[in-house]
Every structure is written in C-alpha cells, then in structure tokens.
Amino acid sequence: MPTLMSTKMTSGGQTTVPKEIRTSLGIDADSRVYWTLDGTRAILTAEPVLPNEVASEDEFWRGIELAMRDVRSGSLRDAAEVSEDIRKRLGIA
C-alpha cells in the first residue's frame, strides 16, 4: 500500500520533497525533478519521461498514428494555454 505524505505550498509556489521520497528517488541538493500532469494528478520523477522512446518500428508508427489522430480531433492544447489554465486553477493567474 502506498504511503501518503503531505507538505505545505509556500506563497511562492515552493514545497519540500519529503526526505523519504528524495532518498528513494536519488534526488540530491542540485538534482532536477520532473513533473507530469496526468488529469488531476501531478507526478514527480527524478528522470524525465521520454515519450519518444520506442521498442519497435511498429510501436513507432502506432505512436505517430495516435498523435495524428489527436491532432485531427483537436484534443491537443498549446503548452502556454495549459500553463495558464493550471495557474487559474491554483489561483495564481
């Protein structure tokens, strides 16, 4: 069962990553961390997610087709638009 931990957000948008998490992920004082927004959850990782990593040519072309389908459906959003939406939801716009 996962362990739930909480930290407080400062007015400047900063928070402390708990020691147990830093140790587990190998995050040191000068480490960079990566955030992924997955619906209503933010995921913290010590290494960036590489969405372009593929194991086969078939997997590559499947990814291209999925991306093209997203473009055609209009379900993609500009990064600046997503950032603005997040700021509004957090009340820091």
Side-chain angles (χ1 to χ4, degrees):
M1 178 175 226
T3 301
L4 177 66
M5 296 178 213
S6 71
T7 58
K8 186 176 178 182
M9 182 74 63
T10 69
S11 61
Q14 297 176 336
T15 189
T16 299
V17 178
K19 183 177 182 183
E20 296 86 352
I21 302 236
R22 293 192 316 263
T23 301
S24 177
L25 295 177
I27 299 172
D28 296 324
D30 290 326
S31 294
R32 179 168 290 278
V33 295
Y34 301 87
W35 296 88
T36 304
L37 186 59
D38 184 13
T40 60
R41 296 176 185 255
I43 301 165
L44 169 78
T45 56
E47 295 184 19
V49 177
L50 301 176
N52 57 347
E53 229 177 65
V54 293
S56 69
E57 184 177 348
D58 287 340
E59 186 180 348
F60 171 80
W61 288 112
R62 258 194 319 274
I64 294 294
E65 180 52 38
L66 288 173
M68 295 305 293
R69 185 174 34 168
D70 287 344
V71 169
R72 287 190 299 270
S73 72
S75 64
L76 298 178
R77 294 174 61 201
D78 182 84
E81 180 185 331
V82 172
S83 179
E84 183 180 335
D85 187 39
I86 291 169
R87 285 189 189 98
K88 285 179 183 175
R89 289 179 188 208
L90 294 174
I92 55 175

